[in-house]
Amino acid sequence: MNQPSSQPATPDLLYSDVEDDLRSAVRGLLADRCPPTAVLARIESGTPYDLDLWRTLAAEIGIAGLLVPEELGGQGASAREAAVVLEELGGAVAPVPFLGSAVLATSALLAAPAAAGPLLKRLASGEATAALAVPLPTAPGAAFPGSVRVAADGTLSGRITGVADASAADVLVVPAVGPDGPGLYEIAADAPGVSIDVPVSLDLTRPIADLTLDAVAARLLVGPDSAADALRAALLAGAGLLASEQLGIAQWCLDETVRYLGERHQFGRPVGSFQSLKHRLADLWLEVVSARAAARNAADALASGSPDAAVAVAVAQAHCATTAVHAAEECVQLHGGIGMTWEHPAHLYLKRAKADEIALGTPGRHRAALAELVGLPA
Amino acid sequence: MTTEPAGTPDEEGLRHRVRALLSAHDPASTDRLAFLRARFDAGLAWVHYPQGLGGLGARRSLQGVVDAELAAAGAPENDPRRIGIGLGMAAPTVLTFGTDEQKARFLRPLWTGEEVWCQLFSEPGAGSDLASLGTRAVRDGDDWVVTGQKVWTSNAHNARWAILIARTDPDLPKHRGITYFVCDMTDPGVEVRPLRQITGEAEFNEVFLTGVRIPDAHRLGAVGDGWRVAQTTLMNERVAIGGASIPREGGMIGTVAATWRERPELRTPDLHDRLLRLWVDSEVSRLTAERVRQQLAAGAPGPEGSGLKLAFARLNQQISGLEVELLGEDGLRYGDWTMTRPETVDFFGRDAGYRYLRAKGNSIEGGTSEILRNIVSERVLGLPSEPRTDKDAAWKDLPR
Ligand SMILES: Cc1cc2nc3c(=O)[nH]c(=O)nc-3n(C[C@H](O)[C@H](O)[C@H](O)COP(=O)(O)OP(=O)(O)OC[C@H]3O[C@@H](n4cnc5c(N)ncnc54)[C@H](O)[C@@H]3O)c2cc1C
C-alpha cells in the first residue's frame, strides 16, 4: 500500500450555458410556486409533497426525465444538469420527489433500459413517480439489502424502513433476494399487500416512510447478474448528487444570514459589522465555495463515467454534508430569537441538512470509504 | 512545411514556436541563461504577457502546454521558487503600471532569474495597517530621497531590486499620500540585516533606508497613487501563495500520506480520523483552486481567489502539526537550527519539524488570516466595515 492514489483527469468545474439556463428556469418556477411561506404552510398538512409543483417541473422543464435517454422520452442529460437542479431544489427545500424518483430510482433502472424502458418512459413524462426502496442512510458501498425476499411464486415479502420519497411514489423499485440471487423489482405502491407507514420525520420537506410488503406481486427489472451493480451505481449517483443539494442548502443559509446581519441593528450599528460575526461568515463562505468545487467535481465525474467517480463522490459527501449542517446551524444562531421560531424558514434548512448528513452515508462512512480507495488504511 | 501562425497563437501555434526555439537552441548544448533569454525573446516565458515582453498575448491557460513541452525536452527552468516575489508580485505590477522603458528594463532579467526581487512594504509600525507606513520619500530634482525602516523583508539579502512603497505626502489621509517605487538594493543607503526566524534560519531581514536616491524614472504609477498600485501587488501575492496548481496529494498532505503508508507502526485511530479529514480538506481545497483557475481562464475571475490563501495556511499548519505528532519519537528531533540565509522556502526538502514551524508564517505573510477574513467579509460578502476613525484624517495627525 505504498502507492499514492492515482491522478484523476482535470474535471470541468464550471457551469455551461445550458446548465445556467436550466438553473434559471428551475429557479424562476420555484420563486413563483415554492416560497418559504408555501413550504411552511404545507409541511404539517396531509400532503407534505407538492405534487402539482412536481408535475409542473416535469412538464415545463422536463426535470423528471433529466437522466432518461431521449429515445425513452427523457432529456438525455447528465449528472451535471441534475446537480444544478438539486442545487436549486435544495436552496428552496422544495418538497418534490426529485432525488427519490429522478435520481435514485431512475439511476437504478438505467442499468436495464430494455426491461425498465416502459417504466422509465412513465417516469420521464411525469405520469408516474418512483422511489428506490432502500433505507435513506444506505451508503454506496453497503451490502445488497436482504430484508425483502422473493417467494417461489415471484411475490415479495419483507420490510424496509426509512425510505425517502416513498409516500409520494406510484411505483417502488425494490431490491430483493430470491432463489436466483439479488434482483431489482417493480411493484405498484397501491398493490395489495403493500403498506406504507409514514412516521413523524425530522426532515419535514422530505419525509421518510416504512414499507411492509406481504406477498406483493412484482415484476423483475434487473436480474442477479447486474442487480448489485445497478444498486451500487444508483447509490453512488445519489450520494454524489446529494452534494449539490447540500450546496444549495448551504448557499441559501449563507446568503440569508449575510442579508439579515446587514440589516439587523444592535448597539447602534449593523450586527454584521461586528468582526467576530464577519470572521465566522468569511469562514463559512470559504466552506461553501469549496463545497461548490467538490460538488461540481462529483457531478462531472459521474457524468463522464470517470474511474475517479467513487473518490470524487466520497470527497464531496464528506465535505458538503458537513458544510450544509454548519451553514444551517450558523443561520439559526446568527438570527437570534427569530431563528428559533417555527415561522422563520431556517429550521426547514436545518432539518433537511441534518437528515442529508445521514442520507446515503454519513461523512464518517465516506471518509472510511476513502481510506480504502486512496490507500490510507487504519 | 508549417506556416508561421498569424495573430494570437493557439495551442498548435505555441507548439510550433516551442519546436522552433528548441531547434535553434538545443538545451543539451546551450548555456542555461542563454536558453532562458532566448525563451523569453521567443515569447514563451509567460505566454499571456504582451509580445516583446516575454509573451505572445495568448491565453494564460496555454502556459501549461509550453511548460510541459519544454520540460519534456529537458530545457532548463528559471527556478521559480528562487524568484517568487519577482514573478508573483513585481512582474504583474510592473506590467500593469510600468512605463515602456520600465517594462523593457525590468521584466526580462526578472523572469530569467538574473535579477532577484524583494518586497519593501512592511514596517515596524505598519503591518496589517500597511497604509499607515512612515518611510518618507522626498523629491529632490530628478530623484526621490528615501529614508525609513522596513522589516520582514524576505530575500532582501539576495535581491537586486525591491518594490517599495513610501510616504510622499504626510498631509493627506494615509491611503492617499503613498507612492510606489522600484528601489535599487545596491544603493549605498540600503542596509540589510538578517532576522532569525523560529526555524533557526534567516529568510527575512530588516532593511534600513538612509538617504537612498531613487530616480523618478523608477516610480511605478502616479505620485500619490501608490496604494492602488500596491493593491495589484497584494492581490497577486495572495493568489501566488494560495493558488498554485497541484496534483492530488501534491501538497503537504502527500508527505504525511507517504509516511502513513510506509510506517504502519505509527498508526492510531485518532490519527487516522484526523488524517482522513485533512486528506478530504486538501482535495477539496485543490479542487477549489482548480475551479478558480478555470474561472480565470474563462475570463470570469470569481471572488474565490481571496479565500484560497486562508485555506492553504490552515491546511499547512494542521497537516504539519499532525505529521510531527504522527512521527512520535522522530518528531522530537529537528534537522538543523543553524542560522543560515536561504534563497528559497523549501517545505519539502526538510523535516516535519521545519514544516511545522515554517507553516506558522503562512497565516501571517501576505496578509494575516484575520485580515483576509476582513477582506472576504467586506469585499465578497458586502458586510459593513467596523467604525473607523483613521480613514480621512491627515496621516501626520494619526496616533502612533
Ligand atoms: C515569513 C514572513 C515573510 C514575510 N515577508 C515579507 C516581505 O517580503 N515583505 C514585506 O513587506 N512583508 C513581509 N512580511 C510581513 C507581513 O506581511 C506582516 O507580518 C503582516 O502583514 C502582519 O503585520 P504585523 O507583523 O505588523 O502584525 P500586526 O498587523 O501587528 O498584527 C498582529 C495581530 O493582530 C491581528 N490584527 C491586526 N489588525 C487586525 C484587524 N483589523 N482585525 C483583526 N485582527 C487584526 C493580526 O492578524 C495579527 O494576528 C512577512 C511576514 C512573514 C511572517
Side-chain angles (χ1 to χ4, degrees):
Chain A
M1 273 291 184
N2 289 337
Q3 278 301 306
S5 46
S6 63
Q7 289 301 326
T10 303
D12 175 3
L13 301 174
L14 305 180
Y15 298 100
S16 69
D17 292 344
V18 174
E19 289 159 7
D20 283 338
D21 291 347
L22 176 63
R23 180 197 300 286
S24 47
V26 175
R27 182 176 291 186
L29 191 61
L30 291 175
D32 204 28
R33 297 275 299 273
C34 192
T37 44
V39 180
L40 273 168
R42 172 174 290 283
I43 50 174
E44 286 185 292
S45 75
T47 51
Y49 281 97
D50 189 345
L51 294 179
D52 281 343
L53 172 63
W54 173 236
R55 277 186 283 269
T56 312
L57 283 163
E60 288 184 8
I61 310 178
I63 74 166
L66 213 50
L67 296 177
V68 177
E70 277 167 296
E71 58 272 21
L72 292 175
Q75 306 289 315
S78 77
R80 292 180 54 95
E81 289 83 6
V84 169
V85 170
L86 274 165
E87 282 182 36
E88 293 304 311
L89 295 176
V93 281
V96 293
F98 182 80
L99 183 73
S101 186
V103 175
L104 286 169
T106 297
S107 299
L109 297 174
L110 286 172
L119 177 54
L120 281 167
K121 266 189 188 159
R122 290 169 61 214
L123 297 184
S125 69
E127 179 198 329
T129 297
L132 180 64
V134 293
L136 186 57
T138 312
F144 195 86
S147 67
V148 176
R149 294 273 148 191
V150 189
D153 64 356
T155 61
L156 307 187
S157 297
R159 190 171 154 75
I160 312 162
T161 53
V163 180
D165 291 341
S167 56
D170 314 294
V171 179
L172 300 169
V173 178
V174 184
V177 181
D180 302 334
L184 298 183
Y185 293 81
E186 171 186 349
I187 64 174
D190 59 1
V194 177
S195 67
I196 301 182
D197 299 318
V198 182
V200 179
S201 287
L202 173 69
D203 177 5
L204 293 143
T205 55
R206 182 184 285 139
I208 52 167
D210 299 329
L211 313 180
T212 310
L213 310 181
D214 182 13
V216 178
R219 197 165 81 81
L220 179 67
L221 295 172
V222 186
D225 288 349
S226 45
D229 285 346
L231 183 62
R232 196 174 310 116
L235 292 169
L236 191 68
L241 291 176
L242 185 63
S244 287
E245 174 176 305
Q246 289 159 331
L247 166 63
I249 294 168
Q251 186 73 57
W252 184 90
C253 293
L254 174 66
D255 291 347
E256 199 49 33
T257 307
V258 168
R259 191 191 62 71
Y260 181 71
L261 294 190
E263 278 172 8
R264 170 74 178 167
H265 280 63
Q266 290 290 282
F267 301 96
R269 52 193 262 212
V271 283
S273 68
F274 288 100
Q275 194 180 56
S276 73
L277 304 193
K278 287 163 73 172
H279 282 194
R280 277 164 74 163
L281 288 174
D283 286 336
L284 185 60
W285 169 83
L286 184 56
E287 270 183 68
V288 175
V289 160
S290 311
R292 191 171 300 281
R296 278 277 88 191
N297 184 51
D300 192 69
L302 288 166
S304 64
S306 159
D308 194 49
V311 173
V313 168
V315 166
Q317 268 306 306
H319 180 80
C320 299
T322 312
T323 299
V325 171
H326 185 209
E329 288 177 348
E330 289 291 67
C331 183
V332 169
Q333 170 65 21
L334 298 183
H335 274 77
I338 190 78
M340 200 59 201
T341 63
W342 191 267
E343 172 192 350
H344 193 281
H347 66 103
L348 299 176
Y349 292 84
L350 178 64
K351 291 163 187 171
R352 173 68 74 81
K354 199 64 189 166
D356 276 2
E357 190 184 38
I358 299 167
L360 302 169
T362 58
R365 276 192 190 279
H366 286 286
R367 284 193 295 272
L370 275 174
E372 290 281 316
L373 289 165
V374 305
L376 293 171
Chain B
M1 198 193 97
T2 40
T3 49
E4 182 69 343
T8 307
D10 57 7
E11 187 171 333
E12 209 24 67
L14 287 175
R15 288 190 202 280
H16 173 89
R17 283 163 200 260
V18 170
R19 281 193 297 273
L21 171 71
L22 288 167
S23 67
H25 307 269
D26 179 2
S29 56
T30 311
D31 165 67
R32 174 177 178 277
L33 198 53
F35 184 90
L36 291 173
R37 286 175 177 163
R39 175 174 169 185
F40 187 93
D41 296 338
L44 297 169
W46 29 36
V47 295
H48 62 291
Y49 269 48
Q51 205 134 20
L53 296 174
L56 295 163
R59 273 185 295 126
R60 193 188 190 122
S61 52
L62 292 175
Q63 185 67 42
V65 174
V66 172
D67 293 348
E69 292 254 327
L70 286 171
E77 270 210 47
N78 63 344
D79 200 356
R81 283 188 314 155
R82 220 183 111 246
I83 52 174
I85 292 174
L87 292 175
M89 293 173 238
T93 314
V94 170
L95 182 69
T96 310
F97 291 97
T99 61
D100 288 345
E101 293 73 33
Q102 290 169 340
K103 291 181 212 171
R105 166 62 187 86
F106 293 126
L107 290 175
R108 190 176 186 250
L110 181 160
W111 186 86
T112 59
E114 286 161 84
E115 293 180 346
V116 173
W117 288 64
C118 68
Q119 178 193 19
L120 291 171
F121 279 23
S122 304
E123 298 181 3
S128 298
D129 184 11
L130 185 59
S132 70
L133 59 88
T135 292
R136 285 281 279 127
V138 180
R139 185 76 191 235
D140 180 26
D142 284 342
D143 290 344
W144 295 84
V145 179
V146 180
T147 299
Q149 186 195 342
K150 296 288 178 176
V151 74
W152 325 127
T153 318
S154 306
N155 232 3
H157 49 289
N158 297 313
R160 171 70 177 80
W161 299 103
I163 43 177
L164 164 77
I165 46 179
R167 187 152 308 278
T168 43
D169 190 343
D171 295 324
L172 290 174
K174 62 180 179 179
H175 293 93
R176 301 223 300 270
I178 295 173
T179 302
Y180 199 119
F181 300 96
V182 173
C183 173
D184 183 345
M185 292 295 285
T186 64
D187 185 285
V190 175
E191 189 200 344
V192 176
R193 294 186 202 155
L195 285 171
R196 197 174 181 199
Q197 283 157 242
I198 61 175
T199 52
E201 64 190 0
E203 227 180 272
F204 57 34
N205 304 271
E206 50 187 347
V207 178
F208 296 86
L209 306 169
T210 314
V212 175
R213 296 195 81 86
I214 299 182
D216 189 52
H218 285 183
R219 169 167 52 77
L220 273 181
V223 174
D225 206 21
W227 185 250
R228 193 167 69 92
V229 182
Q231 292 313 304
T232 300
T233 311
L234 296 175
M235 284 319 214
N236 279 289
E237 174 172 23
R238 284 162 201 157
V239 176
I241 293 182
S245 177
I246 51 162
R248 177 175 288 168
E249 289 196 7
M252 277 203 192
I253 195 71
T255 313
V256 64
T259 306
W260 185 270
R261 291 181 182 116
E262 279 156 22
R263 302 191 52 188
E265 77 280 6
L266 299 175
R267 298 173 191 168
T268 70
D270 163 64
L271 290 167
H272 191 232
D273 181 57
R274 285 158 58 201
L275 174 69
L276 288 172
R277 284 173 194 272
L278 290 169
W279 196 96
V280 169
D281 288 354
S282 301
E283 176 66 2
V284 169
S285 144
R286 185 183 79 81
L287 291 166
T288 309
E290 179 57 39
R291 186 158 195 276
V292 168
R293 263 188 305 283
Q294 292 183 5
Q295 285 174 316
L296 278 172
E304 279 90 340
S306 26
L308 291 179
K309 185 185 170 268
L310 268 177
F312 168 83
R314 181 183 68 83
L315 276 171
N316 274 359
Q317 293 175 353
Q318 292 184 355
I319 294 168
S320 58
L322 179 80
E323 192 188 4
V324 172
E325 197 179 331
L326 170 67
L327 286 171
E329 194 189 313
D330 287 347
L332 296 175
R333 300 171 204 273
Y334 189 82
D336 184 7
W337 293 116
T338 311
M339 150 82 175
T340 55
R341 309 194 74 191
E343 286 202 11
T344 59
V345 182
D346 186 1
F347 264 133
F348 298 106
R350 296 188 54 175
D351 51 281
Y354 172 81
R355 277 189 281 285
Y356 173 69
L357 295 171
R358 181 57 185 85
K360 294 288 167 255
N362 290 156
S363 55
I364 302 170
E365 58 200 325
T368 69
S369 289
E370 289 74 24
I371 293 301
L372 290 183
R373 288 187 181 94
N374 286 349
I375 291 174
V376 166
S377 59
E378 290 173 19
R379 302 208 198 134
V380 180
L381 298 176
L383 287 165
S385 58
E386 304 244 1
R388 289 178 65 166
T389 52
D390 62 335
K391 256 181 147 161
D392 301 317
W395 175 81
K396 65 176 173 20
D397 299 329
L398 292 176
R400 248 179 294 282

